[in-house]
């Protein structure tokens, strides 16, 4: 199985339930969702003339749309060679759920890693049973790329981006449609660290015992 990878790097998880945890990020190239607030738009298009080699994505000095096809063994050997200490793997994008992630997540688990998938939930989720799935629902898109109910049901965490009180109302309606007893985490994340949105998130997290996700990597100015 070959996967289109934009970058592999070591940092702190800045969002959601695992905020602050050292992690190895595997960023996929390619996404058809088109969120207007996306901060990784360089991963949207998988252009053939931007396909490079492993060294091209490892030696990047700044973000770009250069990507490379990597297999599971190459991903693992890269992590081993870099001597990164983290055992938490964050699979992000782009939209990684456009691909069958079972070979990658199962392989990494067998080699001592714990996987977290960050996805919009607009595609069927295919990963190991142990993978922690963080779904960021896309509920106000003009396109047909809507978050699937079966993806929400698979989620361990729903990380929802908030800009106004209306977003909270939309989230409430969404949660009412999830008919299960799973104790998933609900994380509210203010869009672009906006102060008004942040206060809305704080108020609702306190009222509902939800988690605040504040994108600590932005405040720390790290990847």
């Amino acid at each position: 199985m070959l996967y289109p990878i934009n970058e592999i790097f070591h940092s702190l998880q800045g969002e959601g339930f695992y905020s602050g945890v050292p992690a190895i990020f595997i960023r996929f190239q390619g996404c058809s969702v088109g969120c207007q607030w996306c901060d990784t738009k360089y991963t949207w298009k998988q252009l053939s003339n931007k396909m490079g080699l492993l060294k091209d994505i490892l030696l990047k000095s700044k973000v770009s749309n250069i990507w490379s096809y990597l297999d599971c063994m190459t991903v693992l050997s890269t992590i081993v060679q870099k001597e990164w200490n983290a055992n938490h793997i964050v699979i992000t994008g782009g939209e990684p759920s456009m691909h069958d992630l079972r070979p990658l997540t199962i392989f990494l688990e067998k080699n001592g890693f714990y996987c977290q998938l960050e996805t919009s939930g607009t595609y069927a989720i295919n990963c190991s049973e142990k993978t922690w799935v963080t779904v960021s629902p896309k509920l106000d898109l003009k396109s047909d790329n809507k978050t699937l109910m079966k993806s929400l049901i698979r989620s361990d965490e729903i990380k929802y981006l908030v800009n106004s009180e209306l977003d909270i109302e939309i989230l409430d309606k969404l949660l009412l449609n999830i008919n299960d007893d799973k104790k998933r985490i609900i994380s509210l994340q203010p869009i672009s660290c906006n102060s008004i949105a942040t206060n809305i998130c704080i108020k609702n997290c306190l009222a509902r015992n939800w988690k605040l996700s504040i994108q600590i990597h932005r405040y720390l100015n790290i990847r």
Side-chain angles (χ1 to χ4, degrees), residues 1-4 69-73 75 99-104:
M1 178 71 73
L2 293 173
Y3 298 103
Y69 274 125
L70 303 181
D71 60 21
C72 297
M73 183 58 73
V75 170
H99 308 274
D100 184 351
L101 300 172
R102 287 170 294 191
L104 178 62

Side-chain angles (χ1 to χ4, degrees), residues 20-42:
V21 173
I24 297 163
F25 290 79
I26 303 174
R27 187 179 302 284
F28 276 56
Q29 187 75 23
C31 181
S32 62
V33 181
C35 303
Q36 62 180 2
W37 58 82
C38 178
D39 56 3
T40 58
K41 291 182 179 180
Y42 56 92

Side-chain angles (χ1 to χ4, degrees), residues 1 11 17 29 33 35-36 59 70 75 93 100 105 114 122 124 126 170 175 179 181 186 191 193 205 207 216 219:
M1 178 71 73
S11 187
F17 180 73
Q29 187 75 23
V33 181
C35 303
Q36 62 180 2
L59 296 177
L70 303 181
V75 170
D100 184 351
T105 52
Y114 177 74
T122 56
N126 293 300
I170 295 172
L175 295 178
N179 297 314
D181 297 322
I186 307 298
I191 292 178
C193 303
C205 285
I216 61 172
Y219 289 97

Side-chain angles (χ1 to χ4, degrees), residues 30-194:
C31 181
S32 62
V33 181
C35 303
Q36 62 180 2
W37 58 82
C38 178
D39 56 3
T40 58
K41 291 182 179 180
Y42 56 92
T43 66
W44 284 8
K45 295 184 178 180
Q46 190 178 321
L47 301 174
S48 59
N49 64 342
K50 293 297 181 178
M51 184 173 67
L53 303 174
L54 174 62
K55 64 178 181 63
D56 296 317
I57 66 172
L58 293 179
L59 296 177
K60 287 184 181 182
S61 59
K62 59 182 180 180
V63 298
S64 73
N65 59 354
I66 296 174
W67 60 279
S68 180
Y69 274 125
L70 303 181
D71 60 21
C72 297
M73 183 58 73
T74 301
V75 170
L76 177 62
S77 62
T78 298
I79 294 171
V80 172
Q81 290 170 13
K82 289 290 185 179
E83 298 183 337
W84 292 322
N85 292 322
N87 61 5
H88 186 89
I89 301 283
V90 179
I91 300 171
T92 187
E95 178 45 81
S97 290
M98 293 170 64
H99 308 274
D100 184 351
L101 300 172
R102 287 170 294 191
L104 178 62
T105 52
I106 292 171
F107 179 77
L108 290 171
E109 287 172 1
K110 288 181 178 179
N111 284 277
F113 295 95
Y114 177 74
C115 296
Q116 176 187 2
L117 169 62
E118 296 184 332
T119 176
S120 65
T122 56
Y123 289 84
I125 295 172
N126 293 300
C127 61
S128 74
E129 292 183 1
K130 296 180 180 179
T131 296
W132 177 276
V133 176
T134 299
V135 172
S136 293
K138 311 306 177 188
L139 305 177
D140 58 353
L141 295 176
K142 295 179 181 179
S143 69
D144 293 330
N145 292 307
K146 304 298 183 182
T147 297
L148 305 176
M149 182 53 61
K150 61 182 178 181
S151 295
L152 290 170
I153 292 172
R154 172 60 180 86
S155 70
D156 299 287
E157 173 184 20
I158 293 177
K159 185 178 66 180
Y160 187 68
L161 274 63
V162 173
N163 188 53
S164 68
E165 288 285 0
L166 178 60
D167 293 316
I168 302 298
E169 295 177 17
I170 295 172
L171 176 60
D172 279 337
K173 292 178 181 178
L174 174 74
L175 295 178
L176 285 174
N177 291 324
I178 304 176
N179 297 314
D180 64 17
D181 297 322
K182 189 172 184 177
K183 301 297 183 182
R184 59 179 56 80
I185 301 296
I186 307 298
S187 299
L188 299 184
Q189 182 167 299
I191 292 178
S192 301
C193 303
N194 178 280

